[in-house]
Amino acid sequence: MRLRKLIITLLIGLLLLAVVAVAALFFVDPSDFRSQLEARATAAFNRQVQFDGPISLKRSLRPRIVIEDITIGNPDWASGAHFAKAEKIGIQVALLPLLRGDLRVLDVSFTGVEVFIEEGPDGANNYTFGDSGDSQKPGVLPSIEQLKIRNA
Protein backbone atom coordinates (compact mmCIF):
# COMPACT_ATOMS: atom_id res chain seq x y z
CA MET A 1 0.00 0.00 0.00
CA ARG A 2 2.81 2.38 0.91
CA LEU A 3 4.71 1.62 -2.33
CA ARG A 4 1.56 2.25 -4.34
CA LYS A 5 1.08 5.72 -2.77
CA LEU A 6 4.73 6.54 -3.44
CA ILE A 7 4.42 5.58 -7.12
CA ILE A 8 1.18 7.55 -7.54
CA THR A 9 2.72 10.59 -5.82
CA LEU A 10 5.80 10.33 -8.05
CA LEU A 11 3.68 10.11 -11.21
CA ILE A 12 1.56 13.09 -10.18
CA GLY A 13 4.74 15.06 -9.44
CA LEU A 14 6.20 14.25 -12.85
CA LEU A 15 2.94 15.20 -14.55
CA LEU A 16 2.85 18.54 -12.72
CA LEU A 17 6.48 19.17 -13.65
CA ALA A 18 5.68 18.51 -17.32
CA VAL A 19 2.66 20.85 -17.19
CA VAL A 20 4.76 23.62 -15.61
CA ALA A 21 7.51 23.15 -18.24
CA VAL A 22 5.01 23.38 -21.12
CA ALA A 23 3.29 26.39 -19.54
CA ALA A 24 6.66 28.12 -19.11
CA LEU A 25 7.33 27.70 -22.85
CA PHE A 26 4.10 29.49 -23.66
CA PHE A 27 4.73 32.38 -21.30
CA VAL A 28 8.44 32.96 -21.89
CA ASP A 29 9.24 36.05 -23.96
CA PRO A 30 12.07 35.39 -26.43
CA SER A 31 12.97 39.10 -26.36
CA ASP A 32 14.25 38.53 -22.82
CA PHE A 33 17.15 36.62 -24.39
CA ARG A 34 18.08 39.38 -26.88
CA SER A 35 21.38 40.26 -25.20
CA GLN A 36 22.42 36.59 -24.90
CA LEU A 37 21.59 35.91 -28.56
CA GLU A 38 23.47 39.04 -29.68
CA ALA A 39 26.48 38.11 -27.53
CA ARG A 40 26.66 34.57 -28.95
CA ALA A 41 26.28 35.80 -32.54
CA THR A 42 28.95 38.47 -31.93
CA ALA A 43 31.31 35.82 -30.56
CA ALA A 44 30.59 33.46 -33.48
CA PHE A 45 31.28 36.11 -36.15
CA ASN A 46 33.93 38.01 -34.18
CA ARG A 47 32.02 41.12 -35.28
CA GLN A 48 29.33 43.24 -33.67
CA VAL A 49 25.88 41.72 -34.31
CA GLN A 50 22.73 43.68 -33.46
CA PHE A 51 19.08 42.68 -33.41
CA ASP A 52 17.10 45.92 -33.67
CA GLY A 53 13.68 44.47 -34.39
CA PRO A 54 11.30 42.19 -32.53
CA ILE A 55 12.11 38.58 -31.70
CA SER A 56 9.27 36.09 -31.86
CA LEU A 57 8.93 32.39 -31.17
CA LYS A 58 6.33 30.19 -32.85
CA ARG A 59 5.80 27.27 -30.48
CA SER A 60 5.13 23.79 -31.85
CA LEU A 61 6.88 20.45 -32.32
CA ARG A 62 8.87 22.36 -34.93
CA PRO A 63 9.45 25.72 -33.19
CA ARG A 64 10.62 28.70 -35.23
CA ILE A 65 12.43 31.73 -33.90
CA VAL A 66 12.15 34.87 -36.04
CA ILE A 67 14.50 37.81 -35.56
CA GLU A 68 13.96 41.07 -37.44
CA ASP A 69 16.30 43.92 -38.43
CA ILE A 70 19.69 42.25 -38.03
CA THR A 71 23.04 43.87 -38.76
CA ILE A 72 26.55 42.41 -38.78
CA GLY A 73 29.32 44.96 -38.35
CA ASN A 74 32.36 45.50 -40.55
CA PRO A 75 36.04 45.49 -39.50
CA ASP A 76 37.44 48.89 -38.47
CA TRP A 77 39.25 49.43 -41.78
CA ALA A 78 36.14 48.94 -43.96
CA SER A 79 34.40 51.96 -45.46
CA GLY A 80 30.84 50.82 -44.66
CA ALA A 81 29.32 50.53 -41.21
CA HIS A 82 27.85 47.07 -41.85
CA PHE A 83 28.98 43.89 -43.57
CA ALA A 84 25.41 42.62 -43.87
CA LYS A 85 21.84 43.58 -43.06
CA ALA A 86 18.72 41.42 -43.09
CA GLU A 87 15.10 42.37 -42.61
CA LYS A 88 14.21 38.98 -41.15
CA ILE A 89 15.85 35.67 -40.26
CA GLY A 90 13.78 32.62 -39.32
CA ILE A 91 15.20 29.36 -37.96
CA GLN A 92 13.07 26.24 -37.46
CA VAL A 93 14.34 23.26 -35.46
CA ALA A 94 13.02 19.83 -34.51
CA LEU A 95 11.91 19.99 -30.87
CA LEU A 96 12.22 16.36 -29.75
CA PRO A 97 15.85 15.93 -30.89
CA LEU A 98 16.62 19.34 -29.33
CA LEU A 99 15.33 18.14 -25.96
CA ARG A 100 17.83 15.27 -26.21
CA GLY A 101 20.64 17.76 -26.95
CA ASP A 102 20.78 17.21 -30.71
CA LEU A 103 20.33 20.37 -32.79
CA ARG A 104 18.52 19.51 -36.03
CA VAL A 105 17.88 22.60 -38.14
CA LEU A 106 14.94 22.06 -40.47
CA ASP A 107 14.70 25.40 -42.16
CA VAL A 108 16.57 28.70 -42.30
CA SER A 109 15.05 31.63 -44.18
CA PHE A 110 16.50 35.06 -44.89
CA THR A 111 14.41 37.98 -46.14
CA GLY A 112 15.68 41.35 -47.37
CA VAL A 113 19.40 40.56 -47.27
CA GLU A 114 22.08 43.07 -48.25
CA VAL A 115 25.76 42.08 -48.18
CA PHE A 116 28.53 44.66 -48.65
CA ILE A 117 31.79 42.94 -49.69
CA GLU A 118 35.03 44.93 -49.50
CA GLU A 119 38.73 44.31 -49.79
CA GLY A 120 41.29 46.56 -48.16
CA PRO A 121 44.48 47.89 -49.74
CA ASP A 122 46.52 45.30 -47.81
CA GLY A 123 44.49 42.41 -49.28
CA ALA A 124 42.32 41.89 -46.18
CA ASN A 125 38.62 41.28 -46.80
CA ASN A 126 35.50 41.78 -44.74
CA TYR A 127 33.97 38.39 -45.56
CA THR A 128 36.45 36.25 -43.61
CA PHE A 129 35.22 35.85 -40.05
CA GLY A 130 37.00 34.92 -36.86
CA ASP A 131 40.67 35.08 -35.96
CA SER A 132 42.98 34.90 -38.96
CA GLY A 133 45.55 32.93 -36.98
CA ASP A 134 45.64 29.17 -36.42
CA SER A 135 44.76 29.52 -32.74
CA GLN A 136 41.08 28.95 -33.32
CA LYS A 137 39.64 25.76 -34.75
CA PRO A 138 36.97 26.33 -37.39
CA GLY A 139 33.44 25.80 -36.12
CA VAL A 140 31.15 23.17 -37.53
CA LEU A 141 27.65 24.27 -38.47
CA PRO A 142 24.76 21.87 -38.02
CA SER A 143 23.29 20.47 -41.21
CA ILE A 144 20.38 22.48 -42.59
CA GLU A 145 17.61 20.70 -44.46
CA GLN A 146 16.27 23.77 -46.29
CA LEU A 147 17.67 27.27 -46.89
CA LYS A 148 15.59 30.11 -48.38
CA ILE A 149 16.78 33.58 -49.35
CA ARG A 150 14.22 36.16 -50.48
CA ASN A 151 14.68 39.75 -51.69
CA ALA A 152 18.48 39.67 -51.60
Side-chain angles (χ1 to χ4, degrees):
M1 186 59 107
R2 198 175 212 173
L3 182 61
R4 185 176 178 193
K5 279 186 177 182
L6 180 65
I7 291 173
I8 290 173
T9 304
L10 185 62
L11 288 175
I12 290 173
L14 288 173
L15 181 64
L16 287 174
L17 184 63
V19 168
V20 167
V22 169
L25 280 175
F26 282 100
F27 294 112
V28 84
D29 183 9
S31 294
D32 293 342
F33 301 101
R34 178 184 305 273
S35 61
Q36 291 175 347
L37 292 170
E38 284 179 344
R40 288 191 181 199
T42 297
F45 285 111
N46 199 21
R47 306 263 180 90
Q48 182 63 38
V49 176
Q50 259 186 300
F51 304 145
D52 294 323
I55 300 174
S56 61
L57 176 65
K58 296 177 182 169
R59 295 158 180 92
S60 71
L61 288 177
R62 302 173 89 175
R64 174 182 292 277
I65 187 165
V66 178
I67 304 170
E68 297 185 32
D69 297 325
I70 301 99
T71 57
I72 300 173
N74 248 337
D76 294 334
W77 57 264
S79 63
H82 304 293
F83 164 71
K85 294 180 181 182
E87 291 174 9
K88 188 185 295 187
I89 296 176
I91 302 169
Q92 186 176 38
V93 298
L95 181 62
L96 297 178
L98 185 63
L99 294 175
R100 291 188 307 258
D102 180 29
L103 178 60
R104 192 167 145 227
V105 179
L106 303 174
D107 181 285
V108 178
S109 63
F110 297 90
T111 304
V113 178
E114 295 178 359
V115 179
F116 307 98
I117 296 176
E118 294 183 62
E119 288 189 6
D122 62 349
N125 60 56
N126 70 340
Y127 51 86
T128 302
F129 295 98
D131 189 6
S132 60
D134 294 332
S135 63
Q136 196 176 34
K137 288 176 46 177
V140 177
L141 292 174
S143 62
I144 300 171
E145 290 185 16
Q146 187 171 0
L147 177 67
K148 298 177 201 169
I149 301 174
R150 294 184 184 126
N151 302 330

mmCIF file of all heavy atoms in Angstrom, residues 100-129:
data_model
loop_
_atom_site.group_PDB
_atom_site.id
_atom_site.type_symbol
_atom_site.label_atom_id
_atom_site.label_comp_id
_atom_site.label_asym_id
_atom_site.label_seq_id
_atom_site.Cartn_x
_atom_site.Cartn_y
_atom_site.Cartn_z
ATOM 1 N N ARG A 100 16.799 16.276 -26.491
ATOM 2 C CA ARG A 100 17.829 15.270 -26.212
ATOM 3 C C ARG A 100 19.233 15.843 -26.391
ATOM 4 O O ARG A 100 20.212 15.126 -26.246
ATOM 5 C CB ARG A 100 17.653 14.061 -27.121
ATOM 6 C CG ARG A 100 16.409 13.252 -26.819
ATOM 7 C CD ARG A 100 16.379 11.960 -27.628
ATOM 8 N NE ARG A 100 16.542 12.179 -29.060
ATOM 9 C CZ ARG A 100 15.555 12.155 -29.950
ATOM 10 N NH1 ARG A 100 14.328 11.906 -29.553
ATOM 11 N NH2 ARG A 100 15.794 12.350 -31.224
ATOM 12 N N GLY A 101 19.336 17.124 -26.774
ATOM 13 C CA GLY A 101 20.637 17.759 -26.945
ATOM 14 C C GLY A 101 21.185 17.707 -28.356
ATOM 15 O O GLY A 101 22.335 18.047 -28.590
ATOM 16 N N ASP A 102 20.355 17.311 -29.323
ATOM 17 C CA ASP A 102 20.776 17.210 -30.711
ATOM 18 C C ASP A 102 20.102 18.320 -31.509
ATOM 19 O O ASP A 102 18.882 18.325 -31.654
ATOM 20 C CB ASP A 102 20.395 15.828 -31.262
ATOM 21 C CG ASP A 102 20.800 15.646 -32.707
ATOM 22 O OD1 ASP A 102 21.786 16.271 -33.131
ATOM 23 O OD2 ASP A 102 20.118 14.877 -33.417
ATOM 24 N N LEU A 103 20.885 19.269 -32.016
ATOM 25 C CA LEU A 103 20.332 20.373 -32.795
ATOM 26 C C LEU A 103 20.132 19.920 -34.233
ATOM 27 O O LEU A 103 21.083 19.607 -34.940
ATOM 28 C CB LEU A 103 21.262 21.583 -32.755
ATOM 29 C CG LEU A 103 20.820 22.796 -33.570
ATOM 30 C CD1 LEU A 103 19.473 23.316 -33.075
ATOM 31 C CD2 LEU A 103 21.875 23.867 -33.512
ATOM 32 N N ARG A 104 18.883 19.873 -34.657
ATOM 33 C CA ARG A 104 18.520 19.506 -36.028
ATOM 34 C C ARG A 104 17.777 20.681 -36.646
ATOM 35 O O ARG A 104 16.620 20.941 -36.313
ATOM 36 C CB ARG A 104 17.657 18.252 -36.020
ATOM 37 C CG ARG A 104 17.499 17.676 -37.388
ATOM 38 C CD ARG A 104 16.909 16.281 -37.354
ATOM 39 N NE ARG A 104 16.063 16.172 -38.525
ATOM 40 C CZ ARG A 104 14.841 15.703 -38.527
ATOM 41 N NH1 ARG A 104 14.306 15.251 -37.433
ATOM 42 N NH2 ARG A 104 14.157 15.658 -39.632
ATOM 43 N N VAL A 105 18.454 21.405 -37.516
ATOM 44 C CA VAL A 105 17.879 22.597 -38.144
ATOM 45 C C VAL A 105 17.096 22.154 -39.369
ATOM 46 O O VAL A 105 17.638 21.542 -40.284
ATOM 47 C CB VAL A 105 18.983 23.601 -38.530
ATOM 48 C CG1 VAL A 105 18.377 24.821 -39.190
ATOM 49 C CG2 VAL A 105 19.800 23.998 -37.303
ATOM 50 N N LEU A 106 15.823 22.461 -39.372
ATOM 51 C CA LEU A 106 14.943 22.056 -40.469
ATOM 52 C C LEU A 106 14.897 23.092 -41.580
ATOM 53 O O LEU A 106 14.816 22.749 -42.757
ATOM 54 C CB LEU A 106 13.536 21.803 -39.946
ATOM 55 C CG LEU A 106 13.413 20.758 -38.839
ATOM 56 C CD1 LEU A 106 11.997 20.721 -38.307
ATOM 57 C CD2 LEU A 106 13.847 19.396 -39.345
ATOM 58 N N ASP A 107 14.924 24.355 -41.185
ATOM 59 C CA ASP A 107 14.699 25.402 -42.163
ATOM 60 C C ASP A 107 15.353 26.687 -41.678
ATOM 61 O O ASP A 107 15.241 27.040 -40.510
ATOM 62 C CB ASP A 107 13.183 25.601 -42.309
ATOM 63 C CG ASP A 107 12.820 26.653 -43.318
ATOM 64 O OD1 ASP A 107 12.981 27.847 -43.006
ATOM 65 O OD2 ASP A 107 12.364 26.301 -44.403
ATOM 66 N N VAL A 108 16.035 27.371 -42.572
ATOM 67 C CA VAL A 108 16.567 28.701 -42.305
ATOM 68 C C VAL A 108 16.113 29.580 -43.452
ATOM 69 O O VAL A 108 16.294 29.233 -44.618
ATOM 70 C CB VAL A 108 18.108 28.708 -42.207
ATOM 71 C CG1 VAL A 108 18.629 30.119 -41.988
ATOM 72 C CG2 VAL A 108 18.583 27.799 -41.090
ATOM 73 N N SER A 109 15.500 30.715 -43.132
ATOM 74 C CA SER A 109 15.048 31.627 -44.181
ATOM 75 C C SER A 109 15.539 33.036 -43.893
ATOM 76 O O SER A 109 15.495 33.504 -42.761
ATOM 77 C CB SER A 109 13.524 31.600 -44.316
ATOM 78 O OG SER A 109 12.923 32.051 -43.135
ATOM 79 N N PHE A 110 16.030 33.676 -44.945
ATOM 80 C CA PHE A 110 16.496 35.057 -44.886
ATOM 81 C C PHE A 110 15.600 35.887 -45.787
ATOM 82 O O PHE A 110 15.305 35.487 -46.913
ATOM 83 C CB PHE A 110 17.935 35.176 -45.399
ATOM 84 C CG PHE A 110 18.954 34.438 -44.586
ATOM 85 C CD1 PHE A 110 19.275 33.116 -44.873
ATOM 86 C CD2 PHE A 110 19.592 35.055 -43.533
ATOM 87 C CE1 PHE A 110 20.222 32.441 -44.141
ATOM 88 C CE2 PHE A 110 20.543 34.390 -42.786
ATOM 89 C CZ PHE A 110 20.859 33.081 -43.083
ATOM 90 N N THR A 111 15.218 37.068 -45.333
ATOM 91 C CA THR A 111 14.412 37.979 -46.136
ATOM 92 C C THR A 111 15.058 39.360 -46.114
ATOM 93 O O THR A 111 15.456 39.841 -45.051
ATOM 94 C CB THR A 111 12.975 38.079 -45.584
ATOM 95 O OG1 THR A 111 12.411 36.771 -45.521
ATOM 96 C CG2 THR A 111 12.107 38.963 -46.459
ATOM 97 N N GLY A 112 15.152 39.998 -47.270
ATOM 98 C CA GLY A 112 15.676 41.352 -47.366
ATOM 99 C C GLY A 112 17.142 41.445 -47.001
ATOM 100 O O GLY A 112 17.532 42.271 -46.181
ATOM 101 N N VAL A 113 17.976 40.619 -47.608
ATOM 102 C CA VAL A 113 19.396 40.558 -47.269
ATOM 103 C C VAL A 113 20.206 41.495 -48.160
ATOM 104 O O VAL A 113 20.010 41.536 -49.370
ATOM 105 C CB VAL A 113 19.925 39.118 -47.422
ATOM 106 C CG1 VAL A 113 21.408 39.047 -47.118
ATOM 107 C CG2 VAL A 113 19.156 38.170 -46.531
ATOM 108 N N GLU A 114 21.114 42.248 -47.542
ATOM 109 C CA GLU A 114 22.083 43.070 -48.252
ATOM 110 C C GLU A 114 23.458 42.727 -47.701
ATOM 111 O O GLU A 114 23.657 42.748 -46.489
ATOM 112 C CB GLU A 114 21.814 44.559 -48.031
ATOM 113 C CG GLU A 114 20.509 45.051 -48.593
ATOM 114 C CD GLU A 114 20.272 46.531 -48.303
ATOM 115 O OE1 GLU A 114 21.118 47.170 -47.647
ATOM 116 O OE2 GLU A 114 19.242 47.032 -48.741
ATOM 117 N N VAL A 115 24.398 42.406 -48.590
ATOM 118 C CA VAL A 115 25.764 42.081 -48.185
ATOM 119 C C VAL A 115 26.693 43.059 -48.892
ATOM 120 O O VAL A 115 26.583 43.272 -50.102
ATOM 121 C CB VAL A 115 26.128 40.627 -48.554
ATOM 122 C CG1 VAL A 115 27.560 40.315 -48.157
ATOM 123 C CG2 VAL A 115 25.174 39.647 -47.888
ATOM 124 N N PHE A 116 27.604 43.664 -48.127
ATOM 125 C CA PHE A 116 28.530 44.660 -48.646
ATOM 126 C C PHE A 116 29.949 44.105 -48.555
ATOM 127 O O PHE A 116 30.574 44.141 -47.495
ATOM 128 C CB PHE A 116 28.411 45.964 -47.858
ATOM 129 C CG PHE A 116 26.996 46.472 -47.788
ATOM 130 C CD1 PHE A 116 26.212 46.219 -46.677
ATOM 131 C CD2 PHE A 116 26.445 47.176 -48.844
ATOM 132 C CE1 PHE A 116 24.896 46.671 -46.607
ATOM 133 C CE2 PHE A 116 25.134 47.624 -48.785
ATOM 134 C CZ PHE A 116 24.362 47.379 -47.667
ATOM 135 N N ILE A 117 30.475 43.581 -49.665
ATOM 136 C CA ILE A 117 31.787 42.940 -49.689
ATOM 137 C C ILE A 117 32.843 43.974 -50.051
ATOM 138 O O ILE A 117 32.686 44.725 -51.013
ATOM 139 C CB ILE A 117 31.794 41.770 -50.698
ATOM 140 C CG1 ILE A 117 30.815 40.697 -50.218
ATOM 141 C CG2 ILE A 117 33.195 41.212 -50.869
ATOM 142 C CD1 ILE A 117 30.646 39.543 -51.164
ATOM 143 N N GLU A 118 33.930 43.991 -49.260
ATOM 144 C CA GLU A 118 35.028 44.931 -49.499
ATOM 145 C C GLU A 118 36.360 44.220 -49.324
ATOM 146 O O GLU A 118 36.460 43.251 -48.579
ATOM 147 C CB GLU A 118 34.998 46.076 -48.477
ATOM 148 C CG GLU A 118 33.818 46.996 -48.562
ATOM 149 C CD GLU A 118 33.943 48.123 -47.557
ATOM 150 O OE1 GLU A 118 34.915 48.906 -47.657
ATOM 151 O OE2 GLU A 118 33.093 48.203 -46.661
ATOM 152 N N GLU A 119 37.367 44.747 -50.012
ATOM 153 C CA GLU A 119 38.734 44.309 -49.793
ATOM 154 C C GLU A 119 39.566 45.544 -49.521
ATOM 155 O O GLU A 119 39.424 46.570 -50.187
ATOM 156 C CB GLU A 119 39.276 43.547 -50.995
ATOM 157 C CG GLU A 119 38.657 42.173 -51.135
ATOM 158 C CD GLU A 119 39.334 41.333 -52.192
ATOM 159 O OE1 GLU A 119 40.366 41.766 -52.756
ATOM 160 O OE2 GLU A 119 38.829 40.236 -52.462
ATOM 161 N N GLY A 120 40.431 45.440 -48.522
ATOM 162 C CA GLY A 120 41.288 46.556 -48.157
ATOM 163 C C GLY A 120 42.526 46.632 -49.029
ATOM 164 O O GLY A 120 42.834 45.706 -49.784
ATOM 165 N N PRO A 121 43.269 47.731 -48.931
ATOM 166 C CA PRO A 121 44.479 47.892 -49.741
ATOM 167 C C PRO A 121 45.558 46.850 -49.412
ATOM 168 O O PRO A 121 46.391 46.525 -50.252
ATOM 169 C CB PRO A 121 44.964 49.298 -49.418
ATOM 170 C CG PRO A 121 44.188 49.748 -48.236
ATOM 171 C CD PRO A 121 42.985 48.877 -48.110
ATOM 172 N N ASP A 122 45.525 46.302 -48.205
ATOM 173 C CA ASP A 122 46.523 45.300 -47.814
ATOM 174 C C ASP A 122 46.084 43.879 -48.164
ATOM 175 O O ASP A 122 46.739 42.914 -47.788
ATOM 176 C CB ASP A 122 46.829 45.407 -46.328
ATOM 177 C CG ASP A 122 45.607 45.132 -45.454
ATOM 178 O OD1 ASP A 122 44.487 45.070 -45.996
ATOM 179 O OD2 ASP A 122 45.785 44.986 -44.230
ATOM 180 N N GLY A 123 44.963 43.734 -48.865
ATOM 181 C CA GLY A 123 44.485 42.410 -49.278
ATOM 182 C C GLY A 123 43.501 41.783 -48.300
ATOM 183 O O GLY A 123 42.945 40.730 -48.573
ATOM 184 N N ALA A 124 43.290 42.415 -47.149
ATOM 185 C CA ALA A 124 42.321 41.893 -46.176
ATOM 186 C C ALA A 124 40.906 42.062 -46.733
ATOM 187 O O ALA A 124 40.639 42.969 -47.511
ATOM 188 C CB ALA A 124 42.450 42.637 -44.850
ATOM 189 N N ASN A 125 39.999 41.159 -46.332
ATOM 190 C CA ASN A 125 38.617 41.276 -46.798
ATOM 191 C C ASN A 125 37.675 41.277 -45.599
ATOM 192 O O ASN A 125 38.059 40.898 -44.497
ATOM 193 C CB ASN A 125 38.272 40.150 -47.774
ATOM 194 C CG ASN A 125 38.412 38.791 -47.141
ATOM 195 O OD1 ASN A 125 37.800 38.501 -46.114
ATOM 196 N ND2 ASN A 125 39.219 37.928 -47.733
ATOM 197 N N ASN A 126 36.476 41.724 -45.836
ATOM 198 C CA ASN A 126 35.495 41.783 -44.744
ATOM 199 C C ASN A 126 34.585 40.563 -44.701
ATOM 200 O O ASN A 126 33.672 40.496 -43.897
ATOM 201 C CB ASN A 126 34.653 43.056 -44.836
ATOM 202 C CG ASN A 126 33.688 43.057 -45.999
ATOM 203 O OD1 ASN A 126 33.851 42.319 -46.971
ATOM 204 N ND2 ASN A 126 32.674 43.899 -45.916
ATOM 205 N N TYR A 127 34.818 39.579 -45.546
ATOM 206 C CA TYR A 127 33.968 38.391 -45.561
ATOM 207 C C TYR A 127 34.640 37.165 -44.951
ATOM 208 O O TYR A 127 34.099 36.079 -45.005
ATOM 209 C CB TYR A 127 33.475 38.085 -46.977
ATOM 210 C CG TYR A 127 34.544 38.038 -48.040
ATOM 211 C CD1 TYR A 127 35.246 36.870 -48.290
ATOM 212 C CD2 TYR A 127 34.849 39.172 -48.769
ATOM 213 C CE1 TYR A 127 36.225 36.828 -49.262
ATOM 214 C CE2 TYR A 127 35.822 39.142 -49.745
ATOM 215 C CZ TYR A 127 36.508 37.969 -49.988
ATOM 216 O OH TYR A 127 37.484 37.939 -50.945
ATOM 217 N N THR A 128 35.807 37.326 -44.364
ATOM 218 C CA THR A 128 36.450 36.253 -43.607
ATOM 219 C C THR A 128 36.233 36.554 -42.138
ATOM 220 O O THR A 128 36.638 37.616 -41.651
ATOM 221 C CB THR A 128 37.962 36.178 -43.924
ATOM 222 O OG1 THR A 128 38.118 35.964 -45.322
ATOM 223 C CG2 THR A 128 38.600 35.043 -43.159
ATOM 224 N N PHE A 129 35.584 35.626 -41.443
ATOM 225 C CA PHE A 129 35.223 35.852 -40.048
ATOM 226 C C PHE A 129 36.155 35.112 -39.116
ATOM 227 O O PHE A 129 36.768 34.123 -39.484
ATOM 228 C CB PHE A 129 33.786 35.399 -39.781
ATOM 229 C CG PHE A 129 32.788 36.209 -40.539
ATOM 230 C CD1 PHE A 129 32.261 35.736 -41.727
ATOM 231 C CD2 PHE A 129 32.394 37.445 -40.087
ATOM 232 C CE1 PHE A 129 31.345 36.476 -42.442
ATOM 233 C CE2 PHE A 129 31.482 38.199 -40.793
ATOM 234 C CZ PHE A 129 30.952 37.715 -41.968
#
